[in-house]
């Protein structure tokens, strides 16, 4: 099943299928390790929903919800 990273629930994991935006934001996400086939787990969501904290490649990373909406994920089945 595919869905956007911004739609994940806390503790949900998946693999990156693609980053749907181009330009500087895409480059920034790639530089942070959000590349195709990278495993990402949603750890925390701020009280107002922005930002979110994810674990990618062994480290914690905070993302704006607008950035997370550009990451298409393949959900890992438990």
């Amino acid at each position: 099943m595919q869905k956007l990273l911004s739609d994940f629930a806390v503790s949900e994991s998946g693999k990156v299928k693609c980053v749907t935006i181009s330009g500087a934001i895409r480059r920034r996400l790639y530089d942070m390790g959000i590349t195709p086939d990278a495993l990402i787990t949603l750890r925390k969501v701020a009280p107002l929903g922005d930002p979110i904290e994810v674990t990618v490649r062994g480290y914690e990373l905070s993302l704006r919800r607008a950035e997370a909406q550009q990451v298409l994920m393949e959900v890992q089945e438990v």
Side-chain angles (χ1 to χ4, degrees):
M1 176 174 67
Q2 293 184 352
K3 64 181 178 177
L4 298 174
L5 178 57
S6 59
D7 296 333
F8 270 32
V10 174
S11 300
E12 196 169 6
S13 296
K15 277 190 174 182
V16 176
K17 295 305 284 179
C18 68
V19 176
T20 61
I21 196 166
S22 61
I25 295 174
R26 180 186 188 116
R27 181 67 188 172
R28 182 173 179 270
L29 292 172
Y30 274 32
D31 288 346
M32 291 187 292
I34 300 173
T35 58
D37 294 327
L39 182 63
I40 296 180
T41 303
L42 181 64
R43 291 290 176 209
K44 298 178 192 173
V45 178
L48 296 177
D50 200 16
I52 63 172
E53 182 178 303
V54 298
T55 300
V56 58
R57 301 185 187 275
Y59 65 94
E60 279 72 39
L61 176 67
S62 291
L63 292 174
R64 296 180 189 110
R65 185 160 293 278
E67 294 169 334
Q69 289 173 338
Q70 305 303 320
V71 182
L72 183 62
M73 303 289 295
E74 181 71 36
V75 178
Q76 298 284 41
E77 300 298 328
V78 177

